[in-house]
Amino acid sequence: MKNVLVINNLRKVYGKKGNMYTALNDVNFEIKEGEFVGIMGPSGAGKSTLLNVIATIDTPTSGNIIVDGKDIVKMNENTLSNFRREKLGFIFQDFNLLDTLSVRENIVLPLALSKIKPSLIDKNVLDIAESLGIKDILEKYPYEISGGQKQRTAAARAMINHPTLILADEPTGALDSKSSTELLQSLSDMNESENATIMMVTHDAFAASYCKRILFIKDGSIFTEIVRGGSRKEFFQKILDVLSTLGGGLSEM
Ligand SMILES: Nc1ncnc2c1ncn2[C@@H]1O[C@H](COP(=O)(O)OP(=O)(O)O)[C@@H](O)[C@H]1O
Ligand SMILES: [Mg+2]
């Protein structure tokens, strides 16, 4: 399997001389096509920083971020915005839907500048809405739907253009347990059936147990990683075991 993401000697230092904080310290890892990777670690470990520099929302201090063979650290703003649109899909904790657009319009947003035929777009929307269980709410507006439906709309938007890499930061953070489970099952299905490559930051061991591999970050560095072998339940237990050795206070995670 080819590498979708390669992170080399990644560092992120915030602040200026005299008041510097190293949020990421020499991080190295790879994600292969079709992987579903979780990023876990105590509060303040650097999880969001890591996701944000890969998402090109923030810039690293040094190191390489290679997506689909290209180093995004070296790209200029023009190239970057095309890159973001074509190669990345985003799912955030707070959904980030546009209130003035219907569910259908929110989902097709990433295709706004594409040259795909409208009839084909319609078909793609229906397919993805069907698999996420939101086909019946396509004409509704965000204020008319539940949190779980909002997040599945966001997931559909993240996947509509079949991005190289889907980035999710605490996607279940604002959901009740039933909606969380539905979303995680959907992400897992997309990963299995479409071979979607997903990197998900979460502090929640239950959410993480849907991943196939988990990287644990502590104090800006990778502490350890575990790979799912058996059932989700066994993996869940394994995650709890690592979290207990990780320290940093489970309660604040
Ligand atoms: N813009 C910023 N300026 C200064 N420090 C920051 C900034 N963003 C994050 N940090 C610091 O970097 C560390 C890692 O933050 P973050 O990546 O948000 O952690 P996590 O998502 O794992 O909780 C924290 O100590 C945080 O205070
Ligand atoms: Mg965070």
Side-chain angles (χ1 to χ4, degrees):
M1 278 289 185
K2 70 167 187 174
N3 282 322
V4 159
L5 177 69
V6 179
I7 301 284
N8 276 332
N9 305 327
L10 190 66
R11 272 173 68 79
K12 175 67 185 182
V13 182
Y14 286 113
K16 293 196 202 79
K17 218 174 167 183
N19 185 22
M20 301 215 288
Y21 186 85
T22 305
L24 293 175
N25 191 12
D26 202 23
V27 173
N28 293 279
F29 67 92
E30 293 167 0
I31 294 183
K32 296 201 183 306
E33 189 171 29
E35 280 204 286
F36 185 1
V37 176
I39 307 286
M40 297 194 84
S43 179
K47 305 181 295 295
S48 293
T49 303
L50 176 63
L51 198 102
N52 289 344
V53 294
I54 298 170
T56 75
I57 293 166
D58 202 349
T59 51
T61 304
S62 58
N64 311 96
I65 302 171
I66 297 158
V67 180
D68 226 3
K70 297 210 177 65
D71 192 346
I72 64 173
V73 176
K74 298 194 173 88
M75 282 181 191
N76 63 30
E77 192 44 51
N78 245 341
T79 322
L80 261 186
S81 62
N82 287 331
F83 166 86
R84 259 193 301 270
R85 203 175 55 237
E86 287 165 15
K87 306 272 181 181
L88 299 180
F90 300 97
I91 308 174
F92 298 102
Q93 175 169 348
D94 51 4
F95 321 129
N96 276 19
L97 298 180
L98 296 180
D99 293 332
T100 55
L101 299 184
S102 68
V103 166
R104 178 192 297 278
E105 290 163 341
N106 267 287
I107 294 173
V108 299
L109 213 52
L111 300 179
L113 293 167
S114 81
K115 295 185 177 72
I116 304 172
K117 276 203 279 186
S119 59
L120 188 58
I121 291 181
D122 284 349
K123 189 186 175 300
N124 287 349
V125 171
L126 278 184
D127 284 349
I128 205 152
E130 171 101 66
S131 61
L132 285 161
I134 50 173
K135 216 171 120 186
D136 297 336
I137 57 162
L138 284 174
E139 310 317 323
K140 292 198 188 254
Y141 285 81
Y143 72 89
E144 299 176 293
I145 63 178
S146 71
Q149 290 170 328
K150 282 182 194 164
Q151 197 58 305
R152 278 178 283 143
T153 302
R157 181 187 55 189
M159 292 168 188
I160 188 76
N161 57 348
H162 299 283
T164 307
L165 179 64
I166 294 166
L167 299 169
D169 195 359
E170 301 281 0
T172 60
L175 302 180
D176 59 45
S177 69
K178 181 168 173 280
S179 302
S180 291
T181 306
E182 283 170 3
L183 178 76
L184 292 163
Q185 194 55 57
S186 300
L187 292 178
S188 185
D189 292 346
M190 292 289 177
N191 169 250
E192 293 288 338
S193 63
E194 313 254 331
N195 209 31
T197 311
I198 307 172
M199 177 177 146
M200 175 173 78
V201 168
T202 182
H203 69 272
D204 178 20
F206 174 75
S209 70
Y210 281 81
C211 299
K212 290 176 179 163
R213 177 161 70 107
I214 298 173
L215 300 171
F216 292 86
I217 301 187
K218 187 181 181 182
D219 301 331
S221 299
I222 295 188
F223 174 77
T224 190
E225 74 167 12
I226 56 172
V227 177
R228 179 161 154 187
S231 70
R232 194 184 60 71
K233 279 208 172 120
E234 282 163 17
F235 199 39
F236 178 67
Q237 196 51 53
K238 218 167 147 189
I239 295 165
L240 292 181
D241 292 345
V242 176
L243 289 178
S244 69
T245 66
L246 199 60
L250 271 175
S251 57
E252 54 157 332
M253 287 182 58

